[in-house]
Amino acid sequence: MTTPNLRTEEQIIWCPGCGNFGILAALQNAILQLKLDPSQVVAVFGIGCHGHLANYLKINNFEGLHGRALPLAAGIKIANSKLRVLVMAGDGDQLSEGGNHLVHASRRNPDLTCLIHNNQLYSLTVGQASPTSDPGSKTRSTPRGVLDQALNPLALSLASGASFVARGFAGDIPQLTKILIQAISHPGFALVDILQPCPALNHVNTFAWFKERVYELGPEHDVRDKILAFQKAQEWGEKIPLGVFYRVEREILERQLLPDPEMILTDQSLEKKITNLFSEFQ
Amino acid sequence: MAKIDFTVKIAGRAGEGIAVAGLILGKTALRSGFFVFDTSEYPSLIRGGHNVSISRVSNEKTFSLLSGVDCLIALNGESLEQHYSELSSDGIAILNSDEVPGAQERVLNLPLSSLAKKEDLPAVTANNIALGALVFLLKGDPETLKGVVADVFSGSGSEAVEMNIRAIQLGYGFAQKNWPDLKPPFSLSKQKPLPQLFLTGNDALALGAVKAGCRFFSAYPMTPINSLLAFFAAKAKDLGIVFYQPEDEIAGINSALGAAHAGLRAMTATSGGGFSLMVETLGMAGMTETPLVIVEGQRPGPSSGLPTWTSQGDLKFVLSAGQDDFPRVVLAPGDAEECFWQTIDAFNLAEKYQLPVIVLVDKYLCESHASVAPFDESRAEIDRGLLVEGFLPDYQRYQLTSSGISPRAFPGQFGMNFSTSSYEHDALGLAREEAENRKSMMEKRAQKMKILQKETPSPQIFGSVRAKLGLVAWGSTKGQVLEAQKILKTKNIETKFLHVNFLQPFPTEQVKEFCQSCQKVVFVEQNSTGQLADLVQEKAGFEIKNRLLKFDGRPFFPEEIAEEVKKTA
């Protein structure tokens, strides 16, 4: 069997040097290495620079609303649990507008893989502060520097009950590929925070800045230890850990919701006799 | 057959089982061969507020309540005080006399609390003790009443059933012993029961959705759709349906849209406040051409408004909610029967035209029970619209067609993959900003409405076609206007009544024709401006002057409609 080419003919419109190129490459690698049937993969997007990715891969793509990709993806997955459903989100998208949905997806554990394309800015609207912008950083909406603490997507997701939490770096495609393969294979909600330099607008957190700081969690890191995962999630600044922070298996949302855990709802007939329901109303 | 038509009001504190007593009375009357209509009134509190259940029992088909009370069950002194003046001239009141005995005329003192205590029954069974007494007074069949109690409490265990049946017997026995000669002129004596269902609007919406093949229902709690939510929560698994309680209404509509995109028939429900949160996604359903059914149960606003009361104030809102133009359908069933059939229509229209359909109801309709002839489910049809039937090498989800309708596929189907976007997109579903594409896609979506307009059913006209006095209403005021027509007829005032239950696309021609055929037209609406009247002015181009409006949260009584219309005649 020849390796299918997942790329569409569409011309990529991200800025030269954008971290999204690395994420696209790693995602493509992961889908190919996992030998997923592209017709059985659905990617649901929020709104942001990451959303352009919807035009570049020959899978099923749904560009939804800013912040709302997770519940849309959950509906698709519940309806047809055969599908592999990926969520692409931005930091402003998923952590600001969609923060509530991240908390609850982490808690409910639908079998979705959520990639946060985290460039610490609103870049599509040319550079306002996002929830992950470092305190003090000057942006178009914070000329005197960001006042707030940066939100920690890993710690938030862990605290909310996520069963898989990882961080990747758009500048290390092989490692990101490895992380995405594990995330997509994880049965349950997998959150992957991806450090994504924005060369056009973020002149602090650049590829070089990250390269000096990132390191990979070693084999000694116990992914079942939630306290350790929290501890590692707090590291930021001089040293920034990458890899799988936490992974456990627990009951999946749709398997509990479905009339039968194996049932594919979209395969069921619409015809239904309801006469037996009438007796309750007499 | 002599006409039987009386109203029972049960009043007490929240938590005393007022609504369940109303349900038991209603089902007992239904199983005794009567027609019943009931409604409940309660403040937005769990315990302690004043709750009321009102049931009208008749041997003729009833469409709404009437004002006035023939039998009052007052579970406390405050209830008697509040409602005594509503008693009809030959009405009676049963009072829980343990607090303060009633000295007024026609008040029957029933020591509910001490009776319960003596028989070792919990205080909460007072409602059923009173019902037992009432059924004796009305010559009803105690066995029918006990059967209803057994059914209603079956979910709470055999102990609850046994206790409540003892309560019924206690009340019945007390009345038999103390009031053997009282013969109020209202009868619940058993007749041949008709095959009827006792349904709230919410029940009928749920049954309609199940019959239509809905497989996914998501809803965040909000009055007045909570009983719809409870129906699905209780029955989903057995019916092969998923009920999903989302973290907010935004997740509710997005998950339903996701399920619909994947190929299910999906529905969400809320009230005006939750619908406000859903609006951005409503537009996405329009843009992505995803079939979706949204139940909007109105209550008075703005903002949190009067959460547990009724209103028709969201008509303009649902007609225009969302940025820019996109096609949508708005249905407004007038009673439980229309709730059932129009929910099935809603799913068919949503899939046939690939758009969102809003079913606009209100607290009064959602939570009032009515006796309804069983639905002939063989009449229900499922039309999924244009679907792709096999692998297409160059599938275009948004293919331009003369109807504006493009064949729909589901992700993963036939080994195909495709794109969908909330951005303006091309035939492939890829985001596009070119002017020409934008124009043709807007026209494509609008084209669907043009075809749908031709399919819009004509609104129903009730009463005498020759009448010169016309009444127009939409949604749940149907019942009260029908009853008002009956009252007006007894005063020799002939009317015809146009009931609009299909609001978008709007049946402009039929409404115009009706208004023009009348010397006078009165619009009857439960909102403060006359939103339908405004809509008709805009669509038909003439002024609607006579607007009978009520917006205090309380449903119209037929008598007040008749009174006002009489002044106009």
Side-chain angles (χ1 to χ4, degrees), chain A residues 269-273, chain B residues 210-211 213 215 380 382:
Chain A
S269 153
L270 267 63
E271 306 288 337
K272 178 108 62 186
K273 279 276 191 199
Chain B
V210 174
K211 184 65 207 174
R215 288 273 178 182
I382 289 175

Side-chain angles (χ1 to χ4, degrees), chain A residues 10 39-40 60-64 68 71 75-76 100-101 108 256 266 269 272 274-275 280-282, chain B residues 27 31 196 198 211 215 235 237 239 244-245 247-248 250 255 262 377 412 417-418 420-422 432:
Chain A
E10 291 287 304
S39 77
Q40 302 304 313
N60 297 283
N61 297 292
F62 195 134
E63 282 191 278
R68 314 301 174 195
I76 294 172
N100 195 26
H101 306 310
R108 296 177 197 272
Q256 298 176 82
T266 49
S269 153
K272 178 108 62 186
I274 59 161
T275 320
E280 291 176 36
F281 299 101
Q282 281 164 339
Chain B
K27 285 195 171 200
R31 292 186 197 178
Q196 289 197 100
F198 195 45
K211 184 65 207 174
R215 288 273 178 182
K235 307 221 179 306
K237 281 217 170 187
L239 293 171
Y244 184 57
Q245 183 179 326
E247 54 269 29
D248 54 30
I250 299 172
S255 55
E377 62 172 321
N417 55 273
F418 64 95
T420 303
S421 183
S422 68
R432 286 280 179 262

Side-chain angles (χ1 to χ4, degrees), chain A residues 91-109:
Chain A
D91 45 320
D93 178 50
Q94 193 61 73
L95 301 173
S96 200
E97 191 104 2
N100 195 26
H101 306 310
L102 177 62
V103 168
H104 290 278
S106 298
R107 174 172 86 87
R108 296 177 197 272
N109 205 33

Side-chain angles (χ1 to χ4, degrees), chain B residues 122-135:
Chain B
V124 75
T125 57
N127 55 0
N128 280 324
I129 301 177
L131 281 180
L134 182 73
V135 164

Side-chain angles (χ1 to χ4, degrees), chain A residues 12 20 22 26 47 59 62 81 83 101 113 119 122 124 130 132 143 145 171 193 201 208 233-234 243 252 275:
Chain A
I12 296 184
N20 269 322
I47 298 290
I59 52 177
F62 195 134
S81 52
L83 296 171
H101 306 310
T113 310
N119 59 10
Y122 289 85
L124 192 62
S130 91
T132 53
D193 179 34
L201 297 163
Q234 306 305 318
I252 293 169
T275 320

